[in-house]
Amino acid sequence: DTEVTQTPKHLVMGMTNKKSLKCEQHMGHRAMYWYKQKAKKPPELMFVYSYEKLSINESVPSRFSPECPNSSLLNLHLHALQPEDSALYLCASSQQPPGTVNYEQYFGPGTRLTVT
Amino acid sequence: DAKTTQPPSMDCAEGRAANLPCNHSTISGNEYVYWYRQIHSQGPQYIIHGLKNNETNEMASLIITEDRKSSTLILPHATLRDTAVYYCIAYGGATNKLIFGTGTLLAVQP
């Protein structure tokens, strides 16, 4: 199984709502990632979890709150978002965190988020 | 991490080889060249990577010049399903982050 799954596929939320994005992998990977992709732009790294610990936060606003409950799951909690946060949110995983040997990342299909 | 430069778009006839170039003149010795592609509205897909030697897998071949300043991704027999944005990334080094550039939009024509 080389699949990363993400739910929901689409999400529309108001600026006062609280919602969560979910990502799951069952490949035994020890690193998981959140990326944000605006229309017609490349993906941009937001967070990296290594062995269930947050290792990289790319200065993401606190209205985005990541969580890694276990080695297979990654959540992104959303609160008080702005319309400019509308984007495709991609989750990825890799066998090991980036290091001496850089393993390829497997991406999920993404959650398309619209903030109204 | 080294910056990469790719042409914004390329066309290729179906059934022909697609050769996608990438310049990475500032790549450091411990940075790998990675290629991903992103088909419209899907997540990026890993294709291949290499350090110094040429590499081949079931999807593509990667040719890296001896000085490592540039590389070429080769899709030997392009199909319509290969239409996608192809990203060349120098991955590793000090930051160890996968930093996507603007990529090349490959359009395979029937």
Side-chain angles (χ1 to χ4, degrees):
Chain A
D1 181 6
T2 58
E3 193 179 22
V4 176
T5 58
Q6 290 188 245
T7 53
K9 285 189 167 48
H10 300 274
L11 178 63
V12 179
M13 61 185 289
M15 289 189 283
T16 58
N17 291 159
K18 285 186 183 180
K19 296 285 184 184
S20 297
L21 309 184
K22 180 179 170 183
C23 173
E24 199 163 0
Q25 57 87 13
H26 295 287
M27 295 178 276
H29 287 179
R30 304 316 303 268
M32 297 186 77
Y33 311 77
W34 280 114
Y35 290 82
K36 173 181 177 179
Q37 186 173 26
K38 301 281 281 184
K40 299 190 186 305
K41 297 288 187 185
E44 294 179 348
L45 182 66
M46 300 174 72
F47 302 103
V48 180
Y49 272 82
S50 302
Y51 295 95
E52 302 163 45
K53 297 272 189 289
L54 183 65
S55 61
I56 295 177
N57 176 342
E58 289 288 278
S59 302
V60 178
S62 60
R63 57 186 184 269
F64 295 91
S65 174
E67 179 198 20
C68 190
N70 60 56
S71 59
S72 300
L73 278 176
L74 186 66
N75 298 320
L76 186 63
H77 302 298
L78 314 172
H79 173 54
L81 294 194
Q82 304 296 311
E84 58 264 30
D85 296 320
S86 298
L88 181 68
Y89 288 84
L90 294 159
C91 174
S93 70
S94 64
Q95 185 176 345
Q96 295 289 339
T100 307
V101 178
N102 289 308
Y103 292 93
E104 59 267 30
Q105 293 183 23
Y106 291 83
F107 284 79
T111 292
R112 190 158 300 281
L113 174 69
T114 303
V115 182
T116 60
Chain B
D1 287 342
K3 182 178 167 60
T4 61
T5 306
Q6 299 176 254
S9 63
M10 292 181 65
D11 287 342
C12 176
E14 192 176 18
R16 304 297 294 267
N19 295 279
L20 293 95
C22 179
N23 284 320
H24 31 80
S25 57
T26 61
I27 196 168
S28 64
N30 59 354
E31 285 181 309
Y32 288 75
V33 179
Y34 272 71
W35 284 83
Y36 283 77
R37 72 180 183 185
Q38 188 171 21
I39 295 168
H40 183 61
S41 295
Q42 296 183 22
Q45 177 190 22
Y46 165 80
I47 301 173
I48 199 167
H49 75 279
L51 184 63
K52 291 189 233 185
N53 301 322
N54 298 337
E55 302 287 346
T56 295
N57 63 21
E58 64 278 3
M59 286 184 71
S61 295
L62 174 60
I63 309 296
I64 302 174
T65 57
E66 197 168 337
D67 62 9
R68 300 208 333 121
K69 292 186 177 181
S70 65
S71 60
T72 302
L73 178 75
I74 302 171
L75 307 179
H77 305 287
T79 71
L80 298 178
R81 286 177 294 183
D82 292 321
T83 292
V85 177
Y86 287 76
Y87 296 102
C88 166
I89 303 166
Y91 182 28
T95 58
N96 264 319
K97 298 174 193 173
L98 205 61
I99 299 173
F100 290 83
T102 50
T104 296
L105 174 58
L106 175 69
V108 180
Q109 311 288 347

